[in-house]
Amino acid sequence: MKALELQRPCSQISETALYPREVAAILLEGFEAVVLGLAGGAVTPSRGRAVAARARSKGSLLIVAEGQWDGPDLRISSRLSGYSGLSAGRGRVTGIQLDVAVAGKGFQQRTGSLEIRDDTAQLRWGHRRQHPHIDTAVEGSAVINTDHWTERLPDNRVIRIFDEPRAVKVDIGRALPLGRGGASRADHVSMRVKTSALYMSGYLDATQQFWVKMHDGQWLAGVTVRVTDAGGTNLVEIDMLVTADAVTEVPATI
């Protein structure tokens, strides 16, 4: 991967430009990287493909912010999760914490936490510190607190945490008793709910972080399940404990 020399000249496209996508396409002819702010707008798939093809042909990088662009090679999203530097309602904000998700073509979504902080008047990036008593496979994944748990049989552990999460599919029909106690008939649910609510059906993508063994000998899987709405435009990650028969490992690809 080629590094960018940020000291080189760059150009800013005004938000008031009448044709920002066309201007970006022209700038890709002469700049290694172009940042395009859509100001909350969206680009049609046909126009997006044309501009992306221009970037690939020139070996340039197109970064799109503040808007919707279909089918990017890499999508980075973040949300503000906290501040540092304030106590009892007073102080100075010295850092902000972000929950970050990265998804792209050819690999599953990865999540983590970052902190942007002010150290000696310089802006620095750093991994967000987790609570010391929480064991987690990776930042941003399902967690299990083992602070007050001691394995009585170290050679036959009943809590087994993976060094690296593994990709799995979760059978929602086995994981959740859907259709019982409170579920409405399909023909009684409005179209608005059908299209905007969580679509939990069939096999969903997930990552498994640990196994735990119950008193009756059953194994439960600690997973983070990725759930979208019916249109696939919204995404939420939900930590769950599911029975072993609801989990299927995804074969590794080369």
Side-chain angles (χ1 to χ4, degrees), residues 1-2 15 31 37 46 57-58 124 130 157 228 231 233:
M1 180 179 292
K2 180 173 63 175
E15 292 183 0
F31 287 84
S46 58
S57 67
K58 300 299 179 180
R124 297 181 182 273
Q130 299 286 339
R157 301 174 66 88
T228 66
T233 56

Side-chain angles (χ1 to χ4, degrees), residues 4-10:
L4 295 175
E5 298 180 18
L6 298 181
Q7 296 84 357
R8 298 181 62 178
C10 61

Side-chain angles (χ1 to χ4, degrees), residues 144-173:
I144 179 171
N145 189 332
T146 60
D147 186 44
H148 302 288
W149 184 270
T150 301
E151 291 284 355
R152 297 183 178 180
L153 301 173
D155 295 333
N156 189 21
R157 301 174 66 88
V158 297
I159 299 177
R160 302 178 184 181
I161 301 174
F162 295 131
D163 292 330
E164 290 290 338
R166 67 170 188 162
V168 297
K169 294 282 189 179
V170 173
D171 183 351
I172 293 300

Side-chain angles (χ1 to χ4, degrees), residues 194-217:
K194 289 181 179 179
T195 56
S196 63
L198 276 65
Y199 187 78
M200 301 192 71
S201 179
Y203 290 82
L204 299 183
D205 292 329
T207 53
Q208 182 184 358
Q209 286 80 33
F210 57 86
W211 287 107
V212 293
K213 195 172 189 178
M214 295 177 60
H215 67 282
D216 60 1

Side-chain angles (χ1 to χ4, degrees), residues 22-235:
E22 288 74 7
V23 174
I26 294 173
L27 289 176
L28 287 168
E29 296 282 349
F31 287 84
E32 292 184 355
V34 173
V35 180
L36 171 61
L38 295 179
V43 174
T44 62
S46 58
R47 287 191 175 186
R49 286 192 295 268
V51 178
R54 176 73 61 86
R56 283 192 293 269
S57 67
K58 300 299 179 180
S60 301
L61 175 64
L62 176 63
I63 304 171
V64 180
E66 300 178 333
Q68 179 63 38
W69 187 287
D70 291 333
D73 292 333
L74 184 70
R75 186 185 299 276
I76 303 175
S77 59
S78 64
R79 69 176 183 86
L80 183 65
S81 58
Y83 302 90
S84 59
L86 298 178
S87 60
R90 303 185 62 182
R92 181 173 67 90
V93 175
T94 59
I96 60 174
Q97 289 93 42
L98 300 172
D99 290 335
V100 182
V102 180
K105 296 179 180 178
F107 66 91
Q108 294 189 347
Q109 176 173 280
R110 301 296 299 271
T111 60
S113 298
L114 291 176
E115 182 178 17
I116 306 175
R117 58 182 183 270
D118 180 8
D119 291 338
T120 64
Q122 292 184 345
L123 191 63
R124 297 181 182 273
W125 289 76
H127 288 289
R128 183 177 167 190
R129 292 183 291 273
Q130 299 286 339
H131 193 284
H133 298 315
I134 296 181
D135 295 331
T136 173
V138 293
E139 291 180 308
S141 65
V143 295
I144 179 171
N145 189 332
T146 60
D147 186 44
H148 302 288
W149 184 270
T150 301
E151 291 284 355
R152 297 183 178 180
L153 301 173
D155 295 333
N156 189 21
R157 301 174 66 88
V158 297
I159 299 177
R160 302 178 184 181
I161 301 174
F162 295 131
D163 292 330
E164 290 290 338
R166 67 170 188 162
V168 297
K169 294 282 189 179
V170 173
D171 183 351
I172 293 300
R174 293 180 180 272
L176 296 175
L178 299 178
R180 305 176 191 171
S184 301
R185 284 175 42 183
D187 57 350
H188 288 180
V189 180
S190 69
M191 185 57 66
R192 183 174 60 181
V193 172
K194 289 181 179 179
T195 56
S196 63
L198 276 65
Y199 187 78
M200 301 192 71
S201 179
Y203 290 82
L204 299 183
D205 292 329
T207 53
Q208 182 184 358
Q209 286 80 33
F210 57 86
W211 287 107
V212 293
K213 195 172 189 178
M214 295 177 60
H215 67 282
D216 60 1
Q218 289 190 78
W219 285 96
L220 299 179
V223 297
T224 300
V225 182
R226 286 177 285 278
V227 184
T228 66
D229 56 17
T233 56
N234 285 318
L235 172 69

